[in-house]
Amino acid sequence: MITSIADICIDNGRKIKDTVYWNSCREMLDFKIVSGDFYEFAESGAGKSALFYKNCVEIMDFPMLTQLLPQLDDVSYSIRDTLPYFTAGIPEIAAKLKAGEKVAVEGGPCLFGTDEVMVEIIRKDGRKDYFDYNTGKSYLIPGESDENMDFREFVAVHAGEIDTLHFENRKSGLTPQEWAFIKYPFEIAKALSAPLVIPIPDMSYAKYLEAVLKDVDEKVRQEALFEFRRVEYEISDLYLNLIEELRGIYKDVRCEVVHERNHELCHRFYDARAPYVERNKILRSLTGIPEKIESIKDYVSMPALPYYLFGIDNVIEVDSMDETDSFRKCRKAHKGSLNLACILFPELLSKDKVHTIFDAPWDRKEYGNYVVE
């Protein structure tokens, strides 16, 4: 659904003046949010109610954030003051900073979105099937097949028939949304004089493909993984080039980037997270889809990367509100060891005002529509 703070207040019979948003700017109240309907109100002091998402994060405007963390007033982003922020643990982080303790930042975008990497499957009898790698959606022309399966289901049913897989990369650049999800962590790290870790989850996308193809002929599987890695490394390089530019701008921010070709950091990541994630209690809570378990282990443990790499146990995840579940699960897995907070914000709408940029068709992604500054 597409909603806003103002719409949610109306739908719940709440007057803005009776909430903590009584003094929020109109642009923030009307900012369009694409999400599921997982909102509820709870009292937040002074007789006012605040909005919570998934019973996990509290929605704030920017002045509320800077009241807790005045250092963030130095953050520079064109729509900074119009965004609703989905937060947790910020008062605790503020107290740690005041006590002189170190804080670190983690965050970054997904590797690619909908309609950016397409999968072509050629069967041994010559038939071809097409899928979107991100959604798994089939792109078969209606009437050509009576099968209605996504990519994962199709491979499970037809594994023995598959002769070849090919991957088409439609992603010609980075989007304004992807730029924002890299710039904002840099900005907050700079404001807090904190080190930053940015994960580029190419390893996670490859792990999912490897799991989906587990029953496919070994030669076909290895050739497909080789071709897929070529595509995803092309995309990873777009991010690495942008991060290198931003490192030149944010010279005081120590930034580490975790991605599949950085073998040393990946090994440190996997070794350090094992005591927290490789527990039956945690593993059972991750997913009911076996093919997704390894990639979701990555997503759930990535917010803790500064703890693994730097030994800093006060961490702010700066990311998309779509990462709320991963944040909650990471917090649970590291309870007692890691003080994990978050500043999450909504995915940006594309120009069609219907899709987020992440989910928009590739010709509406607005590639390159940002200025590195």
Side-chain angles (χ1 to χ4, degrees):
M1 70 177 190
I2 300 178
T3 188
S4 67
I5 305 301
D7 289 340
I8 295 168
C9 286
I10 292 170
D11 292 343
N12 285 270
R14 300 267 177 164
K15 294 181 179 179
I16 298 291
K17 68 181 182 64
D18 296 327
T19 73
V20 297
Y21 314 110
W22 66 275
N23 203 31
S24 298
C25 70
R26 193 68 228 181
E27 291 85 355
M28 177 269 182
L29 294 172
D30 291 335
F31 193 95
K32 296 304 180 186
I33 304 168
V34 180
S35 71
D37 188 12
F38 303 111
Y39 299 93
E40 60 183 18
F41 283 93
E43 293 306 312
S44 187
K48 302 287 186 181
S49 58
L51 198 55
F52 288 78
Y53 179 66
K54 292 193 172 183
N55 198 30
C56 177
V57 290
E58 179 179 355
I59 301 177
M60 297 182 179
D61 64 13
F62 196 74
M64 294 175 197
L65 265 180
T66 56
Q67 188 174 2
L68 295 171
L69 285 175
Q71 301 94 320
L72 297 188
D73 197 44
D74 291 333
V75 165
S76 174
Y77 180 41
S78 60
I79 60 171
R80 180 193 78 173
D81 297 320
T82 68
L83 288 170
Y85 296 88
F86 294 64
T87 71
I90 300 303
E92 291 79 3
I93 289 292
K96 297 293 185 180
L97 281 168
K98 192 172 182 180
E101 294 191 25
K102 291 181 178 179
V103 170
V105 175
E106 182 275 342
C110 294
L111 186 63
F112 56 81
T114 299
D115 207 28
E116 293 194 298
V117 173
M118 311 306 294
V119 187
E120 178 189 58
I121 297 179
I122 304 175
R123 301 194 224 182
K124 292 175 181 177
D125 63 6
R127 281 184 288 173
K128 297 180 180 180
D129 303 89
Y130 301 91
F131 301 87
D132 181 296
Y133 190 86
N134 179 61
T135 64
K137 178 183 174 182
S138 170
Y139 276 79
L140 281 171
I141 298 172
E144 284 194 1
S145 173
D146 58 2
E147 296 176 295
N148 184 25
M149 292 180 281
D150 67 16
F151 174 53
R152 178 175 60 87
E153 294 168 332
F154 181 90
V155 173
V157 171
H158 297 286
E161 304 170 41
I162 296 175
D163 180 73
T164 313
L165 291 96
H166 294 300
F167 301 89
E168 177 192 359
N169 179 15
R170 297 182 177 182
K171 188 172 180 62
S172 59
L174 298 182
T175 69
Q177 179 172 296
E178 290 158 343
W179 170 80
F181 283 118
I182 291 179
K183 176 182 170 61
Y184 229 110
F186 266 104
E187 282 285 338
I188 290 181
K190 177 186 175 184
L192 299 178
S193 300
L196 167 65
V197 181
I198 298 176
I200 299 175
D202 50 4
M203 74 291 277
S204 312
Y205 282 59
K207 287 172 185 176
Y208 175 66
L209 178 62
E210 188 167 12
V212 168
L213 300 182
K214 66 183 184 303
D215 294 326
V216 173
D217 175 80
E218 177 67 14
K219 182 174 181 292
V220 173
R221 183 165 67 95
Q222 291 304 323
E223 288 176 350
L225 284 165
F226 180 83
E227 182 174 331
F228 181 73
R229 282 192 164 95
R230 177 183 56 77
V231 166
E232 68 171 2
Y233 292 166
E234 289 175 358
I235 297 171
S236 295
D237 285 342
L238 297 173
Y239 293 107
L240 292 171
N241 292 337
L242 174 60
I243 291 168
E244 200 57 37
E245 286 187 70
L246 292 175
R247 277 174 166 158
I249 296 169
Y250 299 89
K251 290 182 169 54
D252 294 333
V253 175
R254 176 188 176 185
C255 175
E256 298 288 349
V257 186
V258 177
H259 59 100
E260 190 171 54
R261 287 171 289 173
N262 192 330
H263 302 295
E264 191 252 335
L265 285 189
C266 276
H267 288 313
R268 286 173 61 188
F269 172 35
Y270 300 145
D271 289 345
R273 79 180 186 188
Y276 302 98
V277 177
E278 301 292 343
R279 293 183 286 153
N280 287 334
K281 180 180 178 181
I282 300 301
L283 293 173
R284 284 195 300 268
S285 71
L286 297 184
T287 179
I289 301 173
E291 291 86 353
K292 291 186 175 181
I293 187 68
E294 289 302 321
S295 55
I296 289 180
K297 279 161 62 175
D298 288 349
Y299 300 138
V300 166
S301 53
M302 281 173 179
L305 273 166
Y307 177 55
Y308 303 147
L309 302 184
F310 306 143
I312 297 175
D313 56 8
N314 301 305
V315 176
I316 302 177
E317 180 181 8
V318 180
D319 218 318
S320 164
M321 62 174 285
D322 287 355
E323 299 304 324
T324 299
D325 288 336
S326 294
F327 166 79
R328 175 177 52 80
K329 291 176 182 180
C330 185
R331 219 180 190 191
K332 178 181 178 182
H334 295 81
K335 186 176 181 180
S337 298
L338 175 62
N339 178 32
L340 182 62
C342 70
I343 300 174
L344 312 177
F345 53 99
E347 303 272 325
L348 306 180
L349 279 181
S350 69
K351 287 183 177 179
D352 64 16
K353 303 302 179 186
V354 174
H355 303 89
T356 62
I357 294 177
F358 182 84
D359 283 319
W362 72 270
D363 58 351
R364 300 178 203 168
K365 297 286 189 184
E366 302 176 52
Y367 294 124
N369 188 19
Y370 58 87
V371 178
V372 180
E373 57 181 17

